[in-house]
Amino acid sequence: MSTWIKNPLAVFTADDAHDDTPGAPDARGGVVVTDGVITELVAAGASPSTPVDETFDASEHVVTPGLINTHHHFYQTLTRAWGPVADAELFPWLTTLYPVWARLTPRAHELATKVALTELLLSGCTTAADHHYVFPAGLDDAIDLQVEAVRELGMRATLTRGSMTLGTDDGGLPPQSVVQDPDTILADSERLIAAYHERGAGARIQIALAPCSPFSVTTQNMRDTAELAERHDVRLHTHLAETIDEEDFLRERFGMRTVDYLESVGWLTDRAWLGHGIHFDDAEIARLGAAGTGVAHCPTSNMRLASGIARVVELEDAGAPVGLGVDGSASNDASTMMPEARQALYLQRLKYGASVPVARALGWATRGSARVLGRDDLGVLAVGKQADLALWRLDEPRFSGSHDPVAALLLCGADRADRVMVGGEWRVVDGAVVGLDLPALLAEHREAARRLVAG
C-alpha cells in the first residue's frame, strides 16, 4: 500500500536542522509512503515516479517528522498542578510527592500511561521514552502495563526499567517503601529485555535500563546496570546534573562532580543518555561530547522547578546528541512536544542570543531526539526512514498573518497536530486519536488522580 502525502503547505525534513535546510532534498511536492516506510520525496511541481494507491491532499498542512520525546514519567499525569508542590524546587518537590507516588496502583498506572501517550500523540509525538522508577508493592508489572498501552495506541516507545535502591534509611531521598532489592531489579531488567526489546529498523518497543538518580541509587547498582546493559546491548538512562543540590549531594557523598561520578560507574559512553544535564562546566561538556553521551533537554520542567538552563547548544557542538523531553507531568505540567520545542528555542536564545535558529530547536525534537535514543530510522523525512509523520494546520487565530509556515509552528505556538502517522498508519485523524474513547479515559483518569492524592 502506497500513499502520496501531496503538495504540503510546507515541509520540514530535519535533514539539516542547524539552519533553514539549504541543500536538503526538495520535498515540497510531498512524501510517498509504502508499507510503513518513506519511499520517495517528491520535488515541487512533480509527481511520484511510480503509481500510488492513494493520495492525501496536504495543501493545508505543514508536514514534519513525528516528534520524539526522550524523557518522561508517565505516572506523573496523576499529580499535575498539585498545590503543596506548586512552588517547590526539586528536592522538596520530590520528598513531598514520593509518599503520594508510593500509593500508585496498577490501574492508576495504566490510566496515567494512556493519558500521557494520548497527550503526546495529539501533540505530534510518535515515539516516547519513559523513565519509570516507582515500584511499590503490587506494581511489579509496571513496564508490562506500559507495553500494552503503547501497542494499543499504535506508537513507538523506549521504556526504561528504572530503579531506586538508596532510601531514606541509607541517606537517599525516596522512602523505603519504593526502594527495591538490587537482585530483584537486575532480574526484572533481564526479563523485560527478553520479553519485549525489539531491534533494528522499525522497532516499536525497546527496553533501556535506568537507575533513577545519584541520590536514589547506590554506586554498585549503577555499575551493575551498566554491565547488564553492555551484555544485552541496550541503552542506559538516568537523571544527572539537574540541580545544584544534586551536585552538592555528590560532593558530600562521593567526593566528586557529576561527570566524574558518571565515568567512575562506567556510564560515560554513547550507550547512555542523561535527563536534564544542566550543571556541567566546560571540561565536562567536552568529555560528554567526546564520549557521545546524549542529553535530554527538558526546558519547561527546568524553568518550573527553577533548576537552571542547560547548555545544550555547547553540548551539541561538542558532539553530544541533544534531544527534547517533556519530563514528568508533575513538573511540566503537560506532555506536549511542540510547545516543548518552543520553550527550548526561547530558553536557549535567552542564554545564547536570538541567532539560535528555529530549525535547530525543531531539529532537537526530531533528528536530535532520534540520535539520543540510538535510532537511525526515525526523526528525518528521507527515503528509507520510517513513515512517522505529523501534519499541522495553521487555520487557528494564533497563526493568522504568519508567513513562514515552519517557523509559525514554534513562534505562533502550535500545540496540537491535525494528523499523525506512525509506521504508515494514521493514528490521529482530524485532531482525534483513532479508536480512542477519550472522554471515558479522562473521566476514569481524573478519578484515579483524586484517589491517589487523597490517600
Side-chain angles (χ1 to χ4, degrees), residues 370-416:
R371 286 186 64 209
V372 165
L373 297 183
R375 300 292 300 256
D376 61 6
D377 58 331
L378 307 176
V380 177
L381 301 185
V383 172
K385 304 295 185 181
Q386 296 297 302
D388 293 5
L389 313 174
L391 279 66
W392 312 81
R393 296 181 67 94
L394 303 184
D395 54 1
E396 297 178 63
R398 75 182 77 181
F399 299 111
S400 183
S402 62
H403 300 274
D404 181 332
V406 173
L409 294 176
L410 271 67
L411 301 183
C412 300
D415 61 1
R416 188 154 179 163

Coordinates of all heavy atoms in Angstrom, one line a residue, residues 370-416:
A370 N 16.0 11.4 18.0 CA 16.3 10.1 17.5 C 17.7 9.6 17.8 O 17.9 8.5 18.2 CB 16.0 10.1 16.0
R371 N 18.7 10.5 17.6 CA 20.1 10.2 18.0 C 20.2 9.9 19.4 O 21.0 8.9 19.8 CB 21.0 11.4 17.6 CG 21.2 11.6 16.1 CD 22.3 12.7 15.9 NE 23.6 12.3 16.5 CZ 24.5 13.2 17.0 NH1 24.2 14.5 17.0 NH2 25.6 12.7 17.4
V372 N 19.6 10.6 20.3 CA 19.7 10.4 21.7 C 19.2 9.0 22.1 O 19.8 8.3 22.9 CB 18.8 11.4 22.5 CG1 18.6 11.0 23.9 CG2 19.6 12.8 22.5
L373 N 18.1 8.5 21.4 CA 17.6 7.2 21.7 C 18.3 6.1 20.9 O 17.9 4.9 20.9 CB 16.1 7.1 21.4 CG 15.2 8.1 22.3 CD1 13.8 7.9 21.9 CD2 15.5 7.8 23.8
G374 N 19.3 6.5 20.1 CA 20.0 5.5 19.3 C 19.3 5.0 18.1 O 19.5 3.9 17.6
R375 N 18.4 5.8 17.6 CA 17.5 5.4 16.4 C 18.0 6.1 15.2 O 17.9 7.3 15.1 CB 16.1 5.7 16.7 CG 15.4 5.0 17.9 CD 15.3 3.5 17.7 NE 14.5 3.1 16.6 CZ 13.2 2.7 16.8 NH1 12.7 2.6 18.0 NH2 12.5 2.3 15.7
D376 N 18.5 5.4 14.2 CA 18.8 6.0 12.9 C 17.8 5.8 11.9 O 18.0 6.2 10.7 CB 20.2 5.5 12.4 CG 20.2 4.0 12.2 OD1 19.1 3.3 12.3 OD2 21.2 3.4 11.8
D377 N 16.6 5.3 12.3 CA 15.5 5.1 11.3 C 14.4 6.1 11.5 O 13.3 6.0 10.8 CB 15.0 3.6 11.5 CG 14.5 3.3 12.9 OD1 15.0 3.9 13.9 OD2 13.6 2.5 13.0
L378 N 14.5 7.0 12.5 CA 13.4 7.9 12.8 C 14.0 9.3 12.8 O 15.1 9.6 12.7 CB 12.9 7.6 14.3 CG 12.5 6.2 14.6 CD1 12.1 6.1 16.1 CD2 11.3 5.8 13.7
G379 N 13.0 10.3 12.9 CA 13.4 11.7 13.1 C 13.7 12.5 11.9 O 14.0 13.7 12.0
V380 N 13.7 11.9 10.7 CA 14.1 12.6 9.5 C 13.1 12.1 8.4 O 12.8 10.9 8.3 CB 15.5 12.3 9.1 CG1 15.9 12.9 7.7 CG2 16.5 12.7 10.1
L381 N 12.7 13.1 7.5 CA 11.9 12.7 6.3 C 12.9 12.4 5.2 O 13.5 13.4 4.6 CB 11.0 13.8 5.9 CG 9.9 14.2 7.0 CD1 9.0 15.3 6.4 CD2 9.2 13.0 7.5
A382 N 13.2 11.2 5.0 CA 14.2 10.8 4.0 C 13.8 9.4 3.5 O 13.2 8.6 4.3 CB 15.6 10.8 4.6
V383 N 14.2 9.0 2.3 CA 13.9 7.7 1.7 C 14.6 6.7 2.6 O 15.7 6.8 3.0 CB 14.5 7.6 0.3 CG1 14.3 6.2 -0.2 CG2 13.7 8.6 -0.6
G384 N 13.8 5.6 3.0 CA 14.3 4.5 3.8 C 14.0 4.7 5.3 O 14.1 3.7 6.0
K385 N 13.6 5.9 5.7 CA 13.2 6.1 7.1 C 11.8 5.7 7.3 O 11.0 5.6 6.4 CB 13.4 7.6 7.5 CG 14.8 8.1 7.2 CD 15.9 7.5 8.0 CE 17.2 8.2 7.8 NZ 18.3 7.5 8.6
Q386 N 11.5 5.4 8.6 CA 10.1 5.0 9.0 C 9.2 6.2 8.7 O 9.5 7.3 8.9 CB 10.1 4.6 10.5 CG 10.9 3.4 10.8 CD 10.4 2.2 10.1 OE1 9.2 1.8 10.3 NE2 11.3 1.5 9.4
A387 N 8.0 5.8 8.3 CA 6.9 6.8 7.9 C 6.2 7.2 9.2 O 5.0 6.9 9.4 CB 6.0 6.2 6.9
D388 N 6.9 8.0 10.0 CA 6.4 8.6 11.2 C 6.3 10.1 10.9 O 7.3 10.8 10.8 CB 7.2 8.4 12.4 CG 7.3 6.9 12.9 OD1 6.7 6.1 12.2 OD2 7.9 6.6 13.9
L389 N 5.1 10.6 10.8 CA 4.8 12.0 10.3 C 3.8 12.7 11.2 O 2.9 12.1 11.7 CB 4.3 12.0 8.9 CG 5.0 11.1 7.8 CD1 4.2 11.2 6.5 CD2 6.4 11.6 7.6
A390 N 4.0 14.0 11.3 CA 3.0 14.9 11.9 C 2.6 15.9 11.0 O 3.4 16.5 10.3 CB 3.5 15.5 13.2
L391 N 1.3 16.2 10.8 CA 0.7 17.1 9.9 C 0.0 18.2 10.7 O -0.9 17.9 11.6 CB -0.2 16.5 8.9 CG 0.4 15.8 7.7 CD1 1.2 14.6 8.1 CD2 -0.6 15.4 6.7
W392 N 0.3 19.5 10.4 CA -0.2 20.6 11.3 C -1.0 21.6 10.4 O -0.5 22.0 9.4 CB 1.0 21.3 11.9 CG 2.0 20.4 12.5 CD1 3.0 19.7 11.9 CD2 2.1 20.1 13.9 NE1 3.7 19.0 12.9 CE2 3.2 19.2 14.1 CE3 1.3 20.5 15.1 CZ2 3.5 18.7 15.4 CZ3 1.7 20.0 16.3 CH2 2.8 19.1 16.4
R393 N -2.1 22.0 10.9 CA -2.9 23.0 10.2 C -2.6 24.3 10.8 O -2.3 24.4 12.0 CB -4.4 22.7 10.3 CG -4.9 21.4 9.6 CD -6.4 21.3 9.8 NE -7.1 22.3 9.1 CZ -7.5 22.2 7.8 NH1 -7.3 21.0 7.1 NH2 -8.2 23.1 7.2
L394 N -2.7 25.4 10.0 CA -2.4 26.7 10.5 C -3.6 27.6 10.3 O -3.5 28.8 9.9 CB -1.2 27.3 9.7 CG 0.1 26.6 9.8 CD1 1.2 27.3 9.0 CD2 0.6 26.3 11.2
D395 N -4.8 27.1 10.7 CA -6.0 27.8 10.5 C -6.6 28.4 11.7 O -7.8 28.8 11.7 CB -7.1 26.9 9.7 CG -7.3 25.6 10.4 OD1 -6.7 25.4 11.5 OD2 -8.1 24.8 9.9
E396 N -5.9 28.4 12.8 CA -6.4 29.0 14.1 C -6.0 30.5 14.1 O -5.1 30.9 13.4 CB -5.8 28.2 15.3 CG -6.2 26.8 15.4 CD -5.5 26.1 16.6 OE1 -5.8 26.6 17.7 OE2 -4.7 25.2 16.4
P397 N -6.7 31.3 15.0 CA -6.4 32.7 15.0 C -4.9 33.0 15.3 O -4.4 34.0 14.8 CB -7.3 33.2 16.2 CG -8.4 32.3 16.1 CD -7.9 30.9 15.7
R398 N -4.2 32.1 16.1 CA -2.9 32.4 16.5 C -1.9 32.4 15.3 O -0.8 33.0 15.4 CB -2.4 31.3 17.5 CG -2.1 30.0 16.9 CD -1.7 28.9 17.9 NE -2.8 28.4 18.6 CZ -2.7 27.5 19.6 NH1 -1.5 27.1 20.0 NH2 -3.8 27.1 20.2
F399 N -2.3 31.8 14.2 CA -1.5 31.7 13.0 C -1.8 32.7 12.0 O -1.1 32.9 11.0 CB -1.6 30.3 12.4 CG -1.1 29.2 13.2 CD1 -2.1 28.3 13.7 CD2 0.2 29.0 13.6 CE1 -1.7 27.2 14.6 CE2 0.6 28.0 14.4 CZ -0.3 27.1 14.9
S400 N -2.9 33.4 12.1 CA -3.4 34.4 11.1 C -2.3 35.5 10.9 O -1.9 36.1 11.9 CB -4.7 35.0 11.5 OG -5.2 35.9 10.5
G401 N -1.9 35.7 9.7 CA -0.9 36.7 9.4 C 0.5 36.2 9.4 O 1.5 36.9 9.2
S402 N 0.7 34.9 9.7 CA 2.1 34.3 9.7 C 2.5 34.1 8.3 O 1.7 33.8 7.4 CB 2.1 33.0 10.5 OG 1.3 32.0 10.0
H403 N 3.8 34.1 8.0 CA 4.3 34.0 6.6 C 5.2 32.8 6.4 O 5.2 32.2 5.3 CB 5.1 35.3 6.3 CG 4.2 36.5 6.4 ND1 3.4 36.9 5.3 CD2 4.0 37.4 7.4 CE1 2.8 38.0 5.7 NE2 3.1 38.3 6.9
D404 N 5.9 32.4 7.4 CA 6.8 31.2 7.2 C 6.1 30.0 8.0 O 6.1 30.0 9.2 CB 8.2 31.5 7.8 CG 9.1 30.3 7.7 OD1 8.7 29.1 7.7 OD2 10.4 30.5 7.7
P405 N 5.5 29.1 7.3 CA 4.7 28.0 7.9 C 5.5 27.2 8.9 O 5.0 26.8 10.0 CB 4.2 27.2 6.8 CG 4.2 28.1 5.6 CD 5.4 28.9 5.8
V406 N 6.8 26.9 8.6 CA 7.6 26.1 9.6 C 7.9 26.9 10.8 O 7.7 26.4 11.9 CB 8.9 25.5 8.9 CG1 9.8 24.9 9.9 CG2 8.5 24.6 7.8
A407 N 8.4 28.1 10.6 CA 8.6 29.0 11.8 C 7.4 29.2 12.6 O 7.5 29.3 13.9 CB 9.2 30.3 11.3
A408 N 6.2 29.3 12.0 CA 5.0 29.5 12.7 C 4.7 28.4 13.7 O 4.0 28.7 14.7 CB 3.8 29.7 11.7
L409 N 5.1 27.2 13.4 CA 4.8 26.1 14.4 C 5.3 26.4 15.7 O 4.7 26.2 16.8 CB 5.4 24.8 13.8 CG 4.9 24.2 12.6 CD1 5.6 23.0 12.1 CD2 3.4 23.9 12.7
L410 N 6.6 27.0 15.8 CA 7.1 27.3 17.1 C 6.8 28.8 17.5 O 6.3 29.0 18.6 CB 8.7 27.2 17.0 CG 9.2 25.8 17.4 CD1 8.8 24.8 16.3 CD2 10.7 25.8 17.5
L411 N 7.0 29.7 16.6 CA 6.8 31.1 17.0 C 5.4 31.5 17.3 O 5.1 32.3 18.2 CB 7.3 32.0 15.9 CG 8.8 31.8 15.5 CD1 9.2 32.9 14.5 CD2 9.7 32.0 16.8
C412 N 4.4 30.8 16.7 CA 3.0 31.1 16.9 C 2.4 30.1 17.9 O 1.2 30.2 18.3 CB 2.2 31.1 15.6 SG 2.7 32.4 14.4
G413 N 3.1 29.1 18.3 CA 2.7 28.2 19.4 C 1.8 27.1 19.0 O 0.8 26.8 19.6
A414 N 2.1 26.3 17.9 CA 1.3 25.1 17.6 C 1.4 24.1 18.8 O 2.4 24.0 19.4 CB 1.8 24.4 16.4
D415 N 0.3 23.5 19.1 CA 0.3 22.6 20.2 C -0.5 21.3 19.9 O -0.4 20.3 20.7 CB -0.3 23.2 21.5 CG -1.7 23.6 21.4 OD1 -2.3 23.5 20.3 OD2 -2.3 24.2 22.4
R416 N -1.2 21.2 18.8 CA -1.9 20.0 18.5 C -1.9 19.7 17.0 O -2.2 20.5 16.2 CB -3.4 20.2 19.0 CG -4.2 18.9 18.9 CD -5.4 19.0 19.9 NE -6.2 17.8 19.8 CZ -7.1 17.4 20.8 NH1 -7.2 18.2 21.8 NH2 -7.8 16.3 20.7

